[in-house]
Amino acid sequence: MSGIRSYDWSPLDLDADPVRADLDAVHEAQKQYKSIADTIDDALAKLEKIISSNSDSLAGQYVEGLKSDAESIKADLKKAGARYSDVVRESGIYEPHLVKGLDDTKKALHKAEDARAKQNTAKAMPDPQKDSHGEISDEEQEKGDEKNKAVKGADDKLAEAKKDLQNALDALNDAGTRFGDAVNCDRYDDGLTDSGWDRFVDWLARIGSDLFGWVAAAFAILALLIPGVNVIALAAFVTAGISFAISAVLYSEGKGSLLDVILGAVGLGAAGLSAIVTVWGKIEAAAARSLAGQLQPPRNAWGISGDATEMFGIPTGPAAAGRMAEALRWVNMSEWFNNPAFNWLLRGLDIVTPDLGFMASFWKQLKSAWDLWKSLGNAPGAFFKNFLASLLGIQEARGFAAVFRSAGFPVPRWVFLAGFAGASFNFFSLIYSILRLRKLFPDVNPSGAPS
C-alpha cells in the first residue's frame, strides 16, 4: 500500500495524511532484518562447532589460534545479532499499533466528513421568520431551536472527530517512542552505531557539500561581477578551500570523487600562484617606485637639454618626471591574501607590505568597481572594454606594467601571469562549483576501490 493515503483531509483541518506509513515497506524491512538475524544465527552455530570440536584429529598449532579467532568473531556476531533480532521483535510489536493508527485516523476522517455534511444540512435549515407584527410565533421559534440543535450536534460531532484523530496520533506516537527506545543505538555496544564523525560525514554528503557549493558559486560570481575587491576575493578563496576540504573528506570516506579533489586542488593552486606572483610584482613595483623617488631631483637641477641628463643609464630630465610621477602615485593596496597573519609573515621575511590596511583597501577597491559599473550608462564601450580587461586579469597586469614603464624599466613578462592566474581562479571556481552542484563528477577510483 502507498505510504500516503490519497484522501481529502480538509474536514479535519489538515493538508495531508497525518500518518505516512507504508505497511508493505515495513513488512519488507522486517523480512530483511529477519534474514540478517537468521544468517547471523547460522554463522554462530557454525562457529560454535569450530570452538567445541575435538582437535585431536587436527594437526599443528594453528588449531588453538583458529578457535581463539572463532571465539572473538562469535562474540562480535552475537552482539550484532542481538540488535537485528530486537528490531524484528519490536517491529512486530509496533506493527499492530501502526495498523490501528491508520484505521483510527481513517475512522476519524469519516466521522469528520459526516459531521461536515450534517453542518451543511443544519445551516441550510430555515431560520425562524417574524410575522406581520414583527413577532416570532411558537412554531417558528421551534424551527429555530431545531436548527440550532442540529448545528450544535454537527459541531460537537466534528469536535469529537478531531479529538479521535488526536487520540489516535498520540497512541501511535507513544508506540513509536517505545519502539525507538527499545532499539535505540545507545543500548548496544556492537560497533554498528555511527560515530559522531560518521554522522558528520553523512551530513557533508547529504547537505554540507551542496551548501558550501552554492556559497562558493555565489562568491565566484560576485568576484567576476565586482572584480578586484579583496573581501569578495578572500570569501571566494575561503569557500573554495572549504569545498575542496569537503571533497577530500568525502573521497577519503569512500563517498566522493578523486576527480573532484584534483580539480579543487588545481583551482586553489591557481589562486596560490596568483598570490605568489602578485607579491613578487609588488616587491618589484615598490622598488621601482622607490628608485623613481630617488631619481627625481629638484626641477632647477636639470640642464637646458631636458632629458639629456642620465643616472645609472636612466633618463632624469623634465620629460621623464611625468612618467616617474605615475610610479610615485602607485599605492600598494591589500589584496585578498594580505590579511594580518600573512602580512606579519611578510614583515618577518623583510618583504614589502601594503600601504593601505585591509578594510581601507576594500573601500577603495569597491569604489573603483562602482565607478566601473557607473560607466556602463555613460560609456558602454569603455565599460565593456575595461570590464573584460578586469575579468581576464589584464587590468591588474597593466597597473604593474605602468609602474615599471614610468620608472624607465622594461616590463617583465611575468607581471601578466599574476592577473591571468587570479582570473583563472575566479572562472575555475565558478565552473567547478556548478559541476559539483550538478553532480557531474563521476566517482573516479573512490577510496577503497581498486584503481
Side-chain angles (χ1 to χ4, degrees):
M1 63 180 294
S2 172
I4 301 177
R5 294 169 290 182
S6 56
Y7 301 139
D8 177 14
W9 293 88
S10 59
L12 288 168
D13 298 330
L14 296 174
D15 296 327
D17 189 348
V19 181
R20 302 189 179 190
D22 191 335
L23 286 177
D24 292 338
V26 172
H27 293 153
E28 185 62 30
Q30 283 179 320
K31 287 197 299 184
Q32 290 179 355
Y33 277 92
K34 181 67 166 58
S35 175
I36 294 173
D38 290 344
T39 301
I40 292 176
D41 288 341
D42 183 57
L44 287 171
K46 292 178 179 178
L47 286 171
E48 182 59 34
K49 288 182 179 180
I50 295 175
I51 295 169
S52 60
S53 64
N54 187 344
S55 60
D56 292 341
S57 61
L58 301 175
Q61 296 180 352
Y62 79 91
V63 177
E64 292 304 320
L66 178 62
K67 287 187 175 184
S68 176
D69 290 342
E71 281 279 11
S72 176
I73 295 172
K74 177 186 174 183
D76 292 337
L77 278 179
K78 193 171 183 179
K79 291 179 181 179
R83 180 185 294 217
Y84 285 102
S85 297
D86 288 351
V87 170
V88 174
R89 184 187 67 254
E90 294 298 331
S91 62
I93 295 173
Y94 173 70
E95 184 179 358
H97 293 281
L98 177 58
V99 173
K100 188 175 187 303
L102 290 168
D103 187 50
D104 287 349
T105 52
K106 184 178 179 181
K107 288 179 180 178
L109 176 60
H110 290 332
K111 183 183 284 190
E113 290 171 340
D114 185 50
R116 281 285 181 91
K118 288 183 177 180
Q119 276 184 333
N120 294 332
T121 300
K123 290 177 181 179
M125 293 173 65
D127 293 317
Q129 301 296 320
K130 296 180 180 180
D131 58 19
S132 58
H133 300 291
E135 297 179 354
I136 299 177
S137 65
D138 293 341
E139 183 180 352
E140 289 295 319
Q141 185 62 51
E142 187 177 346
K143 289 181 181 180
D145 292 342
E146 290 178 358
K147 179 175 182 178
N148 291 336
K149 183 179 178 181
V151 170
K152 185 178 184 306
D155 290 345
D156 291 344
K157 188 170 184 178
L158 181 59
E160 185 181 336
K162 292 181 179 180
K163 186 177 180 180
D164 289 348
L165 172 69
Q166 191 59 51
N167 289 339
L169 294 177
D170 288 344
L172 186 56
N173 286 334
D174 289 342
T177 300
R178 291 192 297 271
F179 179 28
D181 290 342
V183 295
N184 190 291
C185 60
D186 293 336
R187 297 181 66 249
Y188 302 92
D189 182 21
D190 52 12
L192 297 178
T193 301
D194 287 342
S195 65
W197 173 255
D198 293 329
R199 289 190 290 271
F200 174 67
V201 171
D202 181 63
W203 179 83
L204 289 180
R206 293 183 296 105
I207 300 173
S209 181
D210 284 352
L211 174 63
F212 284 103
W214 282 112
V215 173
F219 279 120
I221 293 173
L222 282 176
L224 291 172
L225 294 179
I226 312 176
V229 179
N230 55 14
V231 171
I232 297 175
L234 176 61
F237 178 79
V238 170
T239 52
I242 293 174
S243 295
F244 167 72
I246 290 174
S247 300
V249 169
L250 292 178
Y251 172 70
S252 68
E253 295 295 322
K255 296 184 177 182
S257 167
L258 179 59
L259 182 60
D260 191 353
V261 177
I262 292 174
L263 292 179
V266 170
L268 292 177
L273 176 63
S274 172
I276 292 172
V277 178
T278 301
V279 169
W280 187 5
K282 288 186 174 191
I283 294 172
E284 298 290 344
R289 180 181 61 182
S290 177
L291 183 59
Q294 296 175 19
L295 297 181
Q296 195 174 33
R299 182 175 296 274
N300 57 11
W302 286 314
I304 300 176
S305 60
D307 283 347
T309 306
E310 290 188 357
M311 185 179 295
F312 306 119
I314 300 174
T316 59
R323 297 196 308 270
M324 290 184 181
E326 187 172 354
L328 293 172
R329 286 195 299 269
W330 177 73
V331 177
N332 182 5
M333 289 192 289
S334 295
E335 309 297 339
W336 64 269
F337 50 81
N338 286 128
N339 52 67
F342 188 80
N343 289 339
W344 173 83
L345 177 62
L346 292 180
R347 283 190 293 270
L349 296 174
D350 199 24
I351 297 175
V352 63
T353 54
D355 304 322
L356 289 181
F358 190 78
M359 293 311 298
S361 297
F362 163 70
W363 291 113
K364 191 174 183 67
Q365 292 162 351
L366 190 63
K367 183 179 182 304
S368 298
W370 172 246
D371 291 339
L372 172 64
W373 277 97
K374 279 201 307 184
S375 67
L376 176 60
N378 302 326
F383 163 79
F384 284 110
K385 180 180 178 181
N386 293 329
F387 183 68
L388 184 61
S390 297
L391 283 182
L392 299 178
I394 298 174
Q395 197 75 1
E396 183 178 7
R398 285 174 176 170
F400 282 138
V403 176
F404 289 111
R405 290 194 187 97
S406 65
F409 295 122
V411 179
R413 293 183 179 179
W414 56 257
V415 300
F416 294 96
L417 180 61
F420 175 76
S424 297
F425 168 70
N426 291 333
F427 281 108
F428 197 92
S429 293
L430 180 58
I431 297 171
Y432 171 66
S433 299
I434 292 174
L435 290 176
R436 293 181 75 247
L437 292 171
R438 297 290 295 175
K439 311 295 183 186
L440 296 180
F441 285 123
D443 289 336
V444 179
N445 298 335
S447 182
S451 59

